[in-house]
Amino acid sequence: MPHRVGLTARCSRVLLSPWARFALLVLLLAAAAAGVLAWHPQRLMTAHGWQPHASGGTAVLLFAVAYGLCTVAFVPRPLLNAAAGALYGIHAGLPAAIGGTVLGAGLAFLLGRFLGRDAVRPLLRGRVALSLDRQLSRHGFRSTLALRLFPGVPFAAANYAAAVSRIRLLPFLAATAAGSAANTAAYVVAGSRAASPTSPVFLLALGFLGVTGVAAAVVARGARARSRTAADAPGDVPDGPGGVRVPAACTQVPAVSDAVPPATPAERSA
């Protein structure tokens, strides 16, 4: 009997270990992605592809729940936002899309926090990864808001990066809702006017998406240039402990004339 209890305890420790939970997370996400590939989520763009047995507010709520689950399975949010606009218009489609965005972000955050964080966090290496983790941990709302406003950051990547950091759930969700609203609204408006692509509203939505995309590319290029300039700066040596840049003056070896005192007259006569 004691042997059986000890075996059960060891099995429990193995199954609840960080890497076992991380393997479970990978399996869940792989299964979700495989299901999406077999389901063809682009069918949401048509009324025949989305026919819940409900109407009005209940149908919108069900769509928001389906939206959140689809984002966890890596379905592109632009497709889901356009589908919300095409199916429910701007007034109902926008709340459904934002609600689904927050739900999907929260689900991914909780999955990453409880199944993947303990295994991944000790492996964080590199200046970019450590800097992102530090910003999310210290300035959670502000950093998440910046990630959501920047259209070039993948939705899932931001979710799991936040899950690995020390940010709390509520600031993460609030920043997600606030930062995703403008871009989500543009896609919903475009989807609601997709039947008339020459209408001013549709063109205005596309123009907004184009401007934000170009602005994101410019900001990313400037950030890469600043990072490259800082890495090539002659005054610093980027090899200090923990990745801290050490001034070059601290690494220079003093000259022999400065390190060795001059000989005394007695030593010269000897």
Side-chain angles (χ1 to χ4, degrees), residues 1 16 20 32 47 71 110 124 129 173 178 194 199 253 262:
M1 188 67 180
L16 295 177
T71 59
L110 293 175
L124 290 178
L173 295 180
S199 65
V253 179

Side-chain angles (χ1 to χ4, degrees), residues 144-250:
T144 303
L145 183 65
L147 289 175
R148 298 309 189 192
L149 289 172
F150 194 79
V153 178
F155 184 71
N159 293 337
Y160 291 111
V164 173
S165 72
R166 295 187 177 89
I167 184 177
R168 290 176 291 127
L169 177 62
L170 291 182
F172 170 74
L173 295 180
T176 295
S180 303
N183 195 263
T184 299
Y187 278 106
V188 171
V189 170
S192 67
R193 296 293 188 271
S196 54
T198 58
S199 65
V201 176
F202 181 83
L203 296 177
L204 183 62
L206 286 187
F208 176 81
L209 294 173
V211 168
T212 55
V214 172
V218 171
V219 171
R221 184 174 181 179
R224 285 196 299 268
R226 287 192 298 270
S227 177
R228 192 179 304 114
T229 302
D232 296 338
D236 293 336
V237 179
D239 293 328
V244 178
R245 302 185 67 85
V246 180
C250 297

Side-chain angles (χ1 to χ4, degrees), residues 11-215:
C11 291
S12 300
R13 284 196 298 268
V14 171
L15 293 176
L16 295 177
S17 65
W19 284 106
R21 285 180 282 138
F22 180 74
L24 177 60
L25 175 62
V26 173
L27 289 176
L28 289 175
L29 296 180
V36 166
L37 292 177
W39 177 55
H40 301 298
Q42 61 269 20
R43 295 186 305 170
L44 282 174
M45 294 297 295
T46 65
H48 298 288
W50 174 254
Q51 293 181 334
H53 299 288
S55 60
T58 305
V60 174
L61 180 62
L62 289 175
F63 180 86
V65 174
Y67 184 118
L69 295 175
C70 287
T71 59
V72 177
F74 306 107
V75 177
R77 285 184 59 250
L79 174 65
L80 297 171
N81 292 332
L87 293 173
Y88 301 109
I90 299 174
H91 298 291
L94 181 57
I98 294 179
T101 297
V102 174
L103 176 62
L107 290 175
F109 180 92
L110 293 175
L111 284 173
R113 176 63 57 91
F114 292 109
L115 295 181
R117 178 185 178 184
D118 292 339
V120 174
R121 187 167 180 80
L123 302 178
L124 290 178
R125 297 292 186 275
R127 183 176 58 186
V128 175
L130 292 174
S131 175
L132 177 61
D133 176 72
R134 184 166 54 252
Q135 289 297 322
L136 286 170
S137 299
R138 295 179 180 177
H139 313 287
F141 181 88
R142 185 178 67 189
S143 299
T144 303
L145 183 65
L147 289 175
R148 298 309 189 192
L149 289 172
F150 194 79
V153 178
F155 184 71
N159 293 337
Y160 291 111
V164 173
S165 72
R166 295 187 177 89
I167 184 177
R168 290 176 291 127
L169 177 62
L170 291 182
F172 170 74
L173 295 180
T176 295
S180 303
N183 195 263
T184 299
Y187 278 106
V188 171
V189 170
S192 67
R193 296 293 188 271
S196 54
T198 58
S199 65
V201 176
F202 181 83
L203 296 177
L204 183 62
L206 286 187
F208 176 81
L209 294 173
V211 168
T212 55
V214 172

Side-chain angles (χ1 to χ4, degrees), residues 238-270:
D239 293 328
V244 178
R245 302 185 67 85
V246 180
C250 297
T251 63
Q252 293 176 351
V253 179
V256 175
S257 59
D258 297 331
V260 180
T264 63
E267 291 173 341
R268 285 197 297 269
S269 62

